[in-house]
């Protein structure tokens, strides 16, 4: 699944396989690459187990792999269980999240030093977990603040409704849901009157309001010093601010907007093109077409031999098939004590 310009889920590709294995992931990613025509670098926010880490780097040579923060935090919590109290683990996981969202290396260091104060072993675990794949301070790809791979909850819910159906019917349910979603969003976007999608327009309006209290000083050429609660450096040529908000979100931060208002530039010229209403409408311009009843396929006379489709050569495990649960956002729920 991918993300559209209004922070909605966009289904890209799916497959039905016998199990979540390294070989199946490798095959799926190969098929995905053959279907994508883009030459731009892609950022994947995904787990790093089940062979995903190796397959992604082999098949998409120049991609960025952002480790799913949810899976990492779960692993940290499991590895610490039995060594520390519930409260200590809660503090360390909270500091781990703070380190991941930190936009600057010094803020990252401050957060992991807090972990070190509780446990040097936990600190070493965090250092060895490759922060360049999950921390905003060191990650080079563009994630637009999507830090976990459980973003596709809407698609998971579609699958959970249909997973006990025969495969052809399951796929048709998914096709129908996608067809309806694409049509609905296309019609909704035709009513929008703003330059950016509603969710991004709301963010820009908030940043514009925050920019009014800032003071702008020209430093040199296209570089400006912006003073508020902190002093930040804005370079409008490279679309960068020392707060890192502009790079992380794809939208100008309040410091950059203060500069635009000072020099008379249009802030919309400095927003990622992915967030424009025009790009959003292009995303949903191609419909999924309706199909005739799948239960009664049209009989076509053919001279070709009859092909017998056999089950896959894998043994079905005993018991009821496991269903993929929609992941919770909370990592550790605090225990209540009287």
């Amino acid at each position: 699944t991918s993300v559209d310009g209004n922070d909605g889920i966009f289904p890209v590709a799916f497959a039905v396989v016998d199990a979540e294995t390294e070989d199946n992931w490798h095959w799926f990613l190969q098929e995905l690459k053959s279907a994508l025509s883009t030459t731009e670098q892609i950022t994947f926010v995904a787990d790093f187990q089940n062979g995903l880490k190796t397959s992604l780097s082999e098949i998409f040579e120049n991609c960025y792999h952002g480790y799913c923060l949810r899976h990492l935090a779960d692993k940290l919590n499991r590895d610490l269980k039995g060594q520390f109290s519930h409260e200590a683990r809660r503090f360390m996981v909270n500091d781990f999240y703070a380190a991941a969202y930190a936009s600057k290396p010094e803020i990252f260091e401050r957060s992991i030093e807090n972990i070190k104060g509780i446990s040097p072993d936990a600190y070493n675990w965090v250092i060895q977990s490759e922060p360049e794949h999950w921390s905003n301070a060191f990650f080079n790809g563009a994630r637009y603040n999507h830090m976990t791979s459980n973003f596709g909850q809407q698609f998971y819910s579609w699958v959970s409704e249909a997973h006990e159906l025969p495969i052809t019917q399951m796929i048709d349910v998914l096709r129908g849901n996608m067809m309806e979603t694409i049509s609905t969003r296309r019609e909704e976007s035709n009513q929008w009157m703003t330059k950016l999608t509603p969710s991004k327009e709301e963010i820009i309006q908030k940043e514009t309001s925050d920019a009014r209290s800032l003071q702008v000083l020209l430093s040199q050429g296209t570089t400006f010093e912006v003073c508020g609660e902190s002093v930040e450096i804005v370079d409008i040529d490279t679309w960068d601010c020392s707060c890192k908000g502009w790079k992380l979100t794809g939208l100008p931060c309040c410091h950059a907007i203060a500069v635009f208002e000072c020099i008379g530039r249009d802030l919309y010229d400095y927003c990622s093109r992915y967030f424009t209403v025009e790009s959003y409408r292009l995303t949903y311009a191609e419909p999924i077409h309706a199909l005739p009843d799948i239960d009664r396929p049209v009989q076509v006379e053919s001279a070709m031999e009859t092909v017998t489709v056999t089950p896959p050569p894998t043994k079905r495990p005993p018991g009821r098939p496991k269903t993929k649960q929609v992941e919770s956002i909370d990592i550790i729920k605090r225990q209540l004590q009287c």
Side-chain angles (χ1 to χ4, degrees):
T1 56
S2 188
V3 193
D4 66 25
N6 199 38
D7 287 332
I9 175 178
F10 183 85
V12 177
F14 67 88
V16 181
V17 295
D18 57 331
E20 188 177 356
T21 63
E22 185 172 338
D23 287 343
N24 281 340
W25 268 119
H26 192 87
W27 166 80
F28 178 78
L29 291 171
Q30 283 182 318
E31 296 299 310
L32 179 64
K33 184 178 182 181
S34 70
L36 296 175
S37 59
T38 181
T39 56
E40 295 185 24
Q41 286 183 309
I42 301 174
T43 296
F44 291 91
V45 180
D47 195 3
F48 49 91
Q49 296 172 327
N50 297 315
L52 264 174
K53 181 180 177 182
T54 304
S55 293
L56 276 173
S57 60
E58 284 179 2
I59 296 168
F60 293 89
E61 298 89 352
N62 297 318
C63 76
Y64 295 109
H65 183 183
Y67 293 167
C68 170
L69 207 54
R70 165 76 193 190
H71 286 100
L72 268 177
D74 277 348
K75 189 173 188 309
L76 172 62
N77 190 35
R78 285 196 308 272
D79 291 350
L80 297 179
K81 205 166 188 177
Q83 304 177 47
F84 302 96
S85 68
H86 174 89
E87 197 75 359
R89 282 185 289 122
R90 185 173 68 86
F91 281 127
M92 283 190 278
V93 170
N94 286 345
D95 283 322
F96 174 74
Y97 263 73
Y101 280 95
S103 57
K104 299 179 181 179
E106 56 268 26
I107 305 174
F108 172 89
E109 292 292 341
R110 202 179 306 144
S111 297
I112 63 171
E113 282 296 324
N114 291 340
I115 297 176
K116 191 176 185 179
I118 302 174
S119 165
D121 287 341
Y123 170 84
N124 291 333
W125 187 100
V126 171
I127 292 298
Q128 291 166 12
S129 64
E130 302 174 291
E132 66 273 14
H133 284 283
W134 53 264
S135 170
N136 276 338
F138 305 106
F139 186 67
N140 289 321
R143 285 182 294 188
Y144 302 103
N145 275 342
H146 290 281
M147 307 287 277
T148 65
S149 61
N150 63 334
F151 171 76
Q153 289 185 358
Q154 180 186 355
F155 191 79
Y156 296 156
S157 69
W158 291 347
V159 174
S160 65
E161 291 169 6
H163 81 280
E164 290 186 355
L165 294 173
I167 287 178
T168 52
Q169 292 179 26
M170 179 208 298
I171 290 175
D172 199 58
V173 168
L174 297 176
R175 180 195 60 80
N177 287 337
M178 288 188 287
M179 181 174 68
E180 186 177 14
T181 299
I182 288 173
S183 176
T184 301
R185 290 181 180 170
R186 182 169 59 247
E187 291 171 10
E188 286 176 352
S189 66
N190 287 334
Q191 309 301 317
W192 296 345
M193 305 300 290
T194 53
K195 286 189 177 180
L196 302 182
T197 62
S199 67
K200 301 308 175 185
E201 191 67 41
E202 187 178 337
I203 294 171
I204 279 292
Q205 294 307 320
K206 182 186 177 299
E207 294 293 331
T208 301
S209 177
D210 293 343
R212 294 188 183 114
S213 61
L214 303 176
Q215 181 184 8
V216 178
L217 303 172
L218 175 62
S219 176
Q220 181 182 1
T222 59
T223 304
F224 299 82
E225 186 177 287
V226 182
C227 305
E229 291 182 1
S230 61
V231 177
E232 305 293 349
I233 307 300
V234 175
D235 187 334
I236 60 175
D237 264 5
T238 59
W239 292 32
D240 194 22
C241 176
S242 57
C243 79
K244 299 302 177 188
W246 197 353
K247 288 282 188 189
L248 291 175
T249 64
L251 295 172
C253 57
C254 58
H255 312 104
I257 292 174
V259 171
F260 300 146
E261 291 188 342
C262 179
I263 62 175
R265 297 279 181 94
D266 186 347
L267 68 87
Y268 291 105
D269 292 338
Y270 294 88
C271 297
S272 170
R273 62 185 173 88
Y274 299 124
F275 301 142
T276 63
V277 171
E278 180 185 6
S279 289
Y280 186 92
R281 287 171 180 161
L282 283 172
T283 302
Y284 295 103
E286 292 291 331
I288 293 178
H289 297 289
L291 292 176
D293 190 345
I294 60 166
D295 292 329
R296 287 181 280 106
V298 178
Q299 297 295 322
V300 180
E301 294 293 330
S302 173
M304 293 177 65
E305 293 182 10
T306 303
V307 178
T308 303
V309 180
T310 58
T314 54
K315 191 174 180 181
R316 179 172 176 171
R320 186 183 179 90
K322 291 182 179 179
T323 59
K324 187 157 188 174
Q325 299 294 320
V326 175
E327 296 173 334
S328 170
I329 299 302
D330 296 321
I331 299 299
I332 303 177
K333 290 184 179 178
R334 186 171 185 178
Q335 294 176 338
L336 298 178
Q337 296 178 337
C338 296

